[in-house]
Amino acid sequence: MWGQGGEKVVKIAPSVLSADFASLAEEIAKVETAADLLHVDVMDGHFVPNITVGPLVVEAMRKRTRLPLDVHLMIEAPERYIAAFARAGAASLTVHVETCPHLHRTLQQIREAGPKVGVSLNPATPLAALDYVLPDVDLVLVMSVNPGFGGQRFIPAALGKIAELAQRVRALPSPPELEVDGGIKLENCREVAAAGATILVAGSAIFGAADPRAAVEEMRRRVG
Ligand code: DX5
Ligand code: ZN
């Protein structure tokens, strides 16, 4: 996102994957006034080894927060669930190119359902996978870990990928957000933002901190 003076404004999206799911409402409340978005990781045990939550939990979260719900679908055949997540109140729906043989059609389906349209790349997937869809999306999510788990280490090769993508999106008439997900900590958030990220997802660095709200504020200070 770009501020009114043309400066880049970096958003912070805490990932509830690292929150205590038995106390989700209380966990969300901790970051409610500090965060820009809430990142929700949906995993199916097929595309990624882990299993997390579905539309019911997104709908329940929707009632407990005013933050936009940024829903990251790490599931096979995501087209089957787009309508359900849209009804549940997702503000954005992001699918992985690796799960979509008919990517263009799936992105159109999200557009028609209402949420912002997101597309994601695994660490080993080249940027060329986006060549013919980039003008049609509202956000690109670059994975900087292999998806499936919180608390992994940032893969350094993601930095060059982010920088190259940032160059490409800036050439578009309405550049999509460039979201980066995985291994983002207070120690490296500035570097990731400097490479061109406009949304930083952070799970363990925020919900694993003693004071999640302070962690969001500190991350914002460091990238500001
Ligand atoms: C991983 C998920 C991430 C995860 C990031 O597959 O997509 O959103 O929550 O967690 P951290 O910030 O701990 O790497
Ligand atoms: Zn995620």
Side-chain angles (χ1 to χ4, degrees):
M1 194 175 107
W2 301 86
Q4 288 188 331
E7 78 285 9
K8 193 171 72 146
V9 178
V10 177
K11 296 179 188 166
I12 315 277
S15 168
V16 295
L17 186 64
S18 290
D20 176 358
F21 274 88
S23 313
L24 205 43
E26 289 91 330
E27 293 279 83
I28 293 169
K30 291 178 187 167
V31 298
E32 180 76 25
T33 57
D36 299 291
L37 308 160
L38 268 187
H39 184 82
V40 186
D41 289 303
V42 176
M43 305 185 186
D44 66 352
H46 290 274
F47 176 57
V48 292
N50 209 353
I51 302 178
T52 57
V53 301
L56 277 177
V57 174
V58 171
E59 191 181 346
M61 290 175 68
R62 182 63 290 149
K63 295 177 185 152
R64 300 300 193 103
T65 179
R66 298 174 71 158
L67 292 169
L69 299 177
D70 172 40
V71 177
H72 178 191
L73 298 179
M74 285 159 278
I75 61 176
E76 282 176 6
E79 65 279 359
R80 291 183 297 168
Y81 295 98
I82 287 167
F85 280 105
R87 273 198 305 272
S92 54
L93 274 179
T94 298
V95 294
H96 271 257
V97 299
E98 301 85 4
T99 63
C100 296
H102 304 289
L103 180 61
H104 186 271
R105 178 187 291 158
T106 304
L107 298 174
Q108 291 295 114
Q109 211 183 320
I110 301 174
R111 179 73 68 212
E112 282 158 22
K116 288 192 179 158
V117 179
V119 65
S120 182
L121 300 176
N122 274 345
T125 303
L127 289 176
L130 301 175
D131 276 357
Y132 302 104
V133 296
L134 210 46
D136 302 319
V137 301
D138 301 308
L139 77 90
V140 179
L141 174 55
V142 172
M143 288 306 303
S144 41
V145 297
N146 287 294
F149 301 95
Q152 303 180 78
R153 282 164 66 99
F154 187 91
I155 297 171
L159 283 175
K161 194 178 193 181
I162 296 160
E164 196 183 327
L165 180 59
Q167 258 192 345
R168 287 201 207 178
V169 303
R170 279 186 204 130
L172 293 170
S174 41
E177 299 275 11
L178 206 172
E179 183 171 16
V180 181
D181 184 7
I184 298 181
K185 309 280 177 201
L186 290 177
E187 295 68 38
N188 63 0
C189 61
R190 185 190 281 272
E191 201 181 5
V192 180
T198 63
I199 302 176
L200 300 180
V201 176
S204 48
I206 290 174
F207 286 108
D211 183 345
R213 182 198 161 87
V216 175
E217 284 168 351
E218 177 59 15
M219 192 169 281
R220 192 182 300 290
R221 197 186 65 73
R222 293 193 184 200
V223 300

